Amino acid sequence: MRTENKYHYLLYISFIPIVINGFIYLIIGSFFPLLVALILTLTLMYSVNDNLKWKFRAVKYWGILLLLYSLLRICLSVLILIDGSGVEAYIKDQLNSWFHIQTLFFLICGWVLVKKRRML
Amino acid sequence: MRSILIFISCCVSFGLSAQHTTEVEALQKDMLARLTGQKELFAGKNIYLHQRSKSFERELSATFLFESLLRSGLKSGKHHYRKSNKYIFLDLIFKPVKGVNVYGILPATVPTEEYVIFGAHYDSEPGSPGAIDNATGVALNYAVIRQLSKLKERKVNFMVVFFDQEEDDEIGSREFAKKLKEDGKIVHSVHTSDLVGWDENGNRAVELQSPAPFLEKLYRTEAAALGIPVHITKGASSDNRSFLAEGFPTIAISEEFFKDDSTPYIHTAEDTYSTVDFGYLASVTELVYRVMKKIAADENRE
Ligand SMILES: [Zn+2]
């Protein structure tokens, strides 16, 4: 029987922000973010419950995706900080400490999942 | 005897109009001072805004404007909107765009479903107090609706609107124009004003951008009576774009932006209260008021 360990929880927690984001956009009539979130999470859930080889590979890809996502967020923040001309004020407004905490969360999740995927 | 009477009536009417102008100027000075951080935004609350760009600053400004309209006896409301980002992939990174337009309705004194919409954006660029761009537009429209509310007869409903996020591709007015269309409102005309506080050459001229022909005629007539030179320009460079896109008869009023008599401090930290030409603002306000009064009296309506 499979036992849940802390890395499993980390994996599930790493889904939460993108799923929440998907629902936020669904409320205002945009399906795209939820569609992306569902495709990613369902593929991952399916793979994680499949054989071990696939499970490790899937978690690795998910971890890498999270790392790339956090890097994209960091790059955007830095670029806008260097030259924010032409960038909408409401975008700049969102680059606050909460945005950076979230980025850090994705970075750590991605890193840990890639490193510890065999302990899942 | 007759000439003495004419002289006296001239003096009285000049005195009344001067008093009226002073009242409008005082009202507009107070509103501009509060919107640009010269005075506290709400009396006794120690909040000073030095820009109206961040979400919380825009929300505070919206509340201030909403309360100002309420105090003026108008049926007022806030139109909140949330929408996707300009590029769909940004929805995966950023929160939805959100903002609030503020409106006040002055009902007609006779039964009619027809509305005249006039307004200005209240947001500013980051780092700019946005005095001329566009607290002047806000103050203009606020003074106009207050004056209209004193009319005994209005054959059309008036709606004053303060738009959010003009500086971000006119998001606020676009959402408002869409809402007007969806609600099936019967719109007589839409008048937007942006940048109405600079007149270095002292000619009091205004630019009217892409006016509907019947509106151009109305403005030209009233401007001629006031001795205000008028320039017609093409295109759409402010909130008027949103209403033109939805097919409403539209006109935009501004200082001489294309004729190079416009604030040099636009979108900078120097766009401050002290650079505003309040006499010019009052003069444009009088022009817009007279046009509205004409429309209210059912003249030149299409
Ligand atoms: Zn403007």
Side-chain angles (χ1 to χ4, degrees):
Chain A
M1 209 182 130
R2 199 174 57 136
T3 53
E4 299 283 336
N5 64 32
K6 58 183 175 185
Y7 298 112
H8 265 118
Y9 291 125
L10 187 69
L11 179 65
Y12 299 146
I13 288 170
S14 71
F15 300 156
I16 294 173
I18 64 160
V19 175
I20 289 177
N21 189 54
F23 278 107
I24 288 173
Y25 277 95
L26 186 69
I27 291 168
I28 61 165
S30 172
F31 299 94
F32 175 70
L34 188 63
L35 190 72
V36 172
L38 287 181
I39 289 172
L40 288 173
T41 52
L42 292 178
T43 309
L44 193 67
M45 293 297 276
Y46 178 75
S47 309
V48 164
N49 289 316
D50 206 4
N51 68 54
L52 269 187
K53 190 178 143 211
W54 268 112
K55 173 179 165 176
F56 295 148
R57 202 171 279 179
V59 174
K60 184 172 111 181
Y61 290 149
W62 176 242
I64 290 173
L65 207 60
L66 286 177
L67 284 174
L68 289 175
Y69 180 59
S70 52
L71 284 177
L72 177 70
R73 292 168 66 102
I74 292 167
C75 285
L76 272 176
S77 308
V78 172
L79 284 176
I80 293 171
L81 191 73
I82 294 169
D83 183 15
S85 56
V87 178
E88 281 84 359
Y90 65 86
I91 295 278
K92 289 185 206 161
D93 194 15
Q94 287 188 42
L95 298 175
N96 51 21
S97 33
W98 176 238
F99 183 88
H100 301 310
I101 289 169
Q102 282 180 305
T103 303
L104 201 64
F105 167 80
F106 292 122
L107 192 71
I108 292 168
C109 277
W111 180 256
V112 174
L113 288 173
V114 170
K115 278 281 178 200
K116 305 282 183 184
R117 63 184 182 276
R118 290 187 187 282
M119 294 181 72
L120 254 84
Chain B
M1 184 64 193
R2 196 161 158 241
S3 55
I4 293 172
L5 278 175
I6 290 171
F7 177 75
I8 291 170
S9 78
C10 278
C11 286
V12 169
S13 70
F14 178 78
L16 281 175
S17 118
Q19 185 202 351
H20 162 81
T21 308
T22 324
E23 256 178 54
V24 168
E25 270 197 44
L27 184 79
Q28 295 185 320
K29 278 183 176 166
D30 184 69
M31 176 152 272
L32 256 122
R34 294 190 191 278
L35 284 172
T36 58
Q38 281 287 307
K39 264 191 193 175
E40 51 191 4
L41 187 62
F42 305 98
K45 279 201 180 156
N46 200 30
I47 299 169
Y48 293 84
L49 287 184
H50 299 289
Q51 58 173 29
R52 302 177 300 279
S53 173
K54 286 179 184 288
S55 190
F56 81 93
E57 295 157 349
R58 292 188 281 111
E59 271 170 35
L60 280 170
S61 311
T63 301
F64 164 70
L65 294 170
F66 174 75
E67 287 179 4
S68 303
L69 293 177
L70 268 187
R71 267 200 308 274
S72 306
L74 302 171
K75 190 181 152 218
S76 311
K78 285 181 177 178
H79 164 235
H80 290 270
Y81 59 86
R82 265 170 188 265
K83 64 188 288 291
S84 284
N85 288 280
K86 197 171 171 185
Y87 305 108
I88 199 163
F89 81 93
L90 291 176
D91 290 354
L92 300 173
I93 302 169
F94 295 105
K95 285 187 273 183
V97 184
K98 64 167 188 168
V100 51
N101 300 311
V102 180
Y103 60 88
I105 295 170
L106 181 64
T109 52
V110 295
T112 172
E113 293 296 312
E114 203 174 18
Y115 281 82
V116 171
I117 316 276
F118 58 98
H121 75 86
Y122 68 84
D123 65 311
S124 77
E125 275 286 331
S128 174
I132 289 183
D133 185 16
N134 186 30
T136 53
V138 171
L140 180 151
N141 290 296
Y142 182 59
V144 168
I145 195 91
R146 283 179 60 116
Q147 285 172 271
L148 287 171
S149 68
K150 289 173 191 155
L151 291 178
K152 284 206 177 75
E153 197 176 42
R154 292 178 303 268
K155 293 180 177 165
V156 65
N157 301 294
F158 285 97
M159 188 193 286
V160 63
V161 195
F162 300 124
F163 306 111
D164 200 351
Q165 292 186 296
E166 187 269 348
E167 304 293 1
D168 285 341
D169 293 332
E170 305 99 25
I171 298 172
S173 56
R174 266 193 283 144
E175 292 301 305
F176 199 81
K178 265 195 259 168
K179 184 184 148 55
L180 284 178
K181 198 94 189 182
E182 281 164 14
D183 293 351
K185 278 261 187 304
I186 302 167
V187 176
H188 168 273
S189 53
V190 180
H191 311 238
T192 64
S193 32
D194 195 356
L195 302 164
V196 278
W198 186 270
D199 184 29
E200 200 169 19
N201 63 17
N203 68 353
R204 292 163 67 220
V206 291
E207 280 183 5
L208 305 177
Q209 195 176 49
S210 299
F214 76 98
L215 293 175
E216 180 183 336
K217 201 174 142 203
L218 256 174
Y219 274 82
R220 275 195 186 279
T221 309
E222 294 308 315
L226 290 167
I228 293 177
V230 166
H231 307 294
I232 306 293
T233 61
K234 290 199 175 81
S237 47
S238 181
D239 292 309
N240 56 335
R241 193 200 311 257
S242 310
F243 296 96
L244 284 168
E246 296 292 344
F248 294 119
T250 301
I251 190 166
I253 303 109
S254 74
E255 58 202 29
E256 294 175 286
F257 187 76
F258 292 100
K259 286 264 177 194
D260 270 346
D261 188 22
S262 183
T263 174
Y265 307 118
I266 184 169
H267 297 170
T268 71
E270 277 82 50
D271 182 8
T272 56
Y273 177 90
S274 63
T275 67
V276 177
D277 183 334
F278 283 97
Y280 176 72
L281 174 59
S283 154
V284 187
T285 304
E286 182 63 18
L287 169 63
V288 177
Y289 169 62
R290 286 197 181 199
V291 168
M292 297 297 164
K293 201 170 138 189
K294 263 271 165 65
I295 298 172
D298 206 9
E299 287 169 49
N300 293 303
R301 296 260 297 283
E302 296 233 318

